[in-house]
Amino acid sequence: MGIFDEMAKGGHEQVMFLREPATGLKAVVAFHNTILGPGLGGTRMYPYAREEEALEDVLRLSKGMTYKAAAVDLDFGGAKCVIWGDPQKDKTPEMMRALGRFVEGLKGRFYTGTDVGTTPEDFAVAARESQYIVGLPKAYGGGGDSSVPTALGVFYGIQAVAQALWRTPDLKGRRVAIQGVGKVGAKLARHLHEAGAELLLSDVNEARAQKLAQELGAQYVSPDEILYQPCDILSPCALGGILHEESIPRLQCQAVAGSANNQLKEAEDGRRLQRRGILYAPDYIINAGGLIQVADELDPRGFHEERVLAKTKAIKESLLQIFALSKEKGISTAEAADRLVEEKLATIFALRKVQPF
Ligand code: NAD
């Protein structure tokens, strides 16, 4: 299938191929939808086996950004960049500057920052060539570590789950199993510990999880077993694609609520969870705290931590709205989230027919 067919299938607006031979930069930028505002999305660097894979990834990721920004009420559209290369071997400061030159040339149609394979420090370099860079370290005028608001957003999301299931946000004595205690998972574990939850922690880096478990009086569980522990809430904070035909029947939780991106392997998995009576907090909403922070760096009134906090807290209300819609319409929570976003895009598109002059 050709590129235009792929774009039509996903509803994409624009795809751009970037090539800078002096630094070896090969990248693709995709704009999915800019109804709500300029494209905002990270830059991923990955050693794709073939260029088709890079294109497929950037189309999928940019579409995800449209939904994520709309779901938490940000005036940004969905876009993403992927660099085709191995971040361990191929990435250089010059390559990041070359990317910055291209981003600058887009004159504010695209804002970008870190994703898998790139770091805030890489973008401090790119920012020497472009003013349209976000997610910088605090020392460079950015909002700093985005895992802080992400973990807080997941905590509020878990409170929403508790509210929906048990009619109280109180997490005292609730058993929560966390898969992956990296940047987000470890911070989430501390919030939950403070709220009195009983924790089961796991990480492929066993020493990391054991240390945190000891500190918080939690139980360590091996990575093979964490998904299938009897618990109230399972919180995937490691990898995507973990909820599927084989894993879902074996879950022993009442809800799934975690930071990992793309937790459902396919759309049907949302319905599989629904049929099992497991409440699923759609990943792109519960993990939007980091995006909220990055978007705030672009507010014309300047970056404000208090506003980031308030918008992150609102993730709880967004999820409660989605849970209610899912119940009312008998659709999965993932479908309810998509429906709300699509209605919002249609409304904003329609109202923008009014010209302000
Ligand atoms: P991270 O790399 O710091 O942490 C991930 C942790 O998971 C690591 O400690 C890793 O060892 C562990 N892990 C990997 N495979 C595992 C397995 N099979 N079982 C148990 N542990 C495993 O990443 P992070 O920033 O904490 O992000 C976690 C997830 O949340 C990712 O899916 C990421 O895409 C998503 N996310 C992060 C942010 C953010 O602001 N950092 C924002 C939105 C979404």
Side-chain angles (χ1 to χ4, degrees), residues 44 68 114-116 145-151 154 178-187 201-206 208-209 220-224 226-227 236-240 242 258-263 283-284 286-291:
R44 175 168 295 194
K68 195 162 173 164
T114 62
D115 196 82
V116 176
D145 183 357
S146 68
S147 66
V148 174
T150 302
V154 176
I178 306 181
Q179 181 191 40
V181 287
K183 292 188 289 294
V184 178
K187 293 181 185 76
L201 307 179
S202 183
D203 201 294
V204 284
N205 182 336
E206 185 179 336
R208 181 182 289 169
Y220 170 79
V221 178
S222 82
D224 294 342
I226 188 73
L227 292 181
C237 295
L239 309 168
I242 51 143
S259 74
N261 276 312
N262 306 313
Q263 291 170 36
D283 48 13
Y284 68 79
I286 195 169
N287 73 15
L291 179 68

Side-chain angles (χ1 to χ4, degrees), residues 34-249:
T34 53
I35 288 175
L36 297 182
L40 173 63
T43 293
R44 175 168 295 194
M45 183 162 184
Y46 192 79
Y48 300 102
R50 297 170 306 124
E51 64 188 34
E52 287 81 358
E53 276 180 27
L55 181 66
E56 203 178 290
D57 209 26
V58 78
L59 291 176
R60 181 179 63 83
L61 293 166
S62 60
K63 185 168 182 174
M65 291 309 296
T66 298
Y67 281 71
K68 195 162 173 164
V72 289
D73 205 22
L74 301 175
D75 290 332
F76 288 95
K80 201 92 181 184
C81 174
V82 298
I83 301 176
W84 187 14
D86 184 339
Q88 307 300 331
K89 290 197 298 226
D90 306 326
K91 193 169 63 182
T92 59
E94 291 73 24
M95 180 184 278
M96 297 310 296
R97 287 183 76 148
L99 179 70
R101 299 286 292 180
F102 282 110
V103 172
E104 182 64 14
L106 292 170
K107 297 190 164 44
R109 180 166 160 74
F110 179 47
Y111 290 88
T112 194
T114 62
D115 196 82
V116 176
T118 59
T119 65
E121 289 69 29
D122 292 333
F123 282 92
V125 177
R128 290 167 67 181
E129 301 290 344
S130 175
Q131 58 189 308
Y132 305 114
I133 299 296
V134 289
L136 293 175
K138 277 191 173 160
Y140 290 85
D145 183 357
S146 68
S147 66
V148 174
T150 302
L152 196 60
V154 176
F155 176 69
Y156 289 132
I158 287 179
Q159 285 189 330
V161 163
Q163 181 74 45
L165 289 178
W166 309 302
R167 296 172 193 277
T168 165
D170 191 1
L171 295 167
K172 201 160 191 291
R174 295 288 174 196
R175 241 167 111 85
V176 185
I178 306 181
Q179 181 191 40
V181 287
K183 292 188 289 294
V184 178
K187 293 181 185 76
L188 173 67
R190 289 180 204 285
H191 290 307
L192 290 167
H193 175 69
E194 244 172 68
E198 189 189 319
L199 298 174
L200 308 175
L201 307 179
S202 183
D203 201 294
V204 284
N205 182 336
E206 185 179 336
R208 181 182 289 169
Q210 290 276 20
K211 188 162 171 266
L212 190 67
Q214 199 169 20
E215 182 195 323
L216 303 180
Q219 186 185 332
Y220 170 79
V221 178
S222 82
D224 294 342
E225 294 167 17
I226 188 73
L227 292 181
Y228 311 116
Q229 292 299 305
C231 60
D232 294 306
I233 298 171
L234 170 67
S235 186
C237 295
L239 309 168
I242 51 143
L243 301 171
H244 48 72
E245 214 175 348
E246 280 96 50
S247 64
I248 292 171

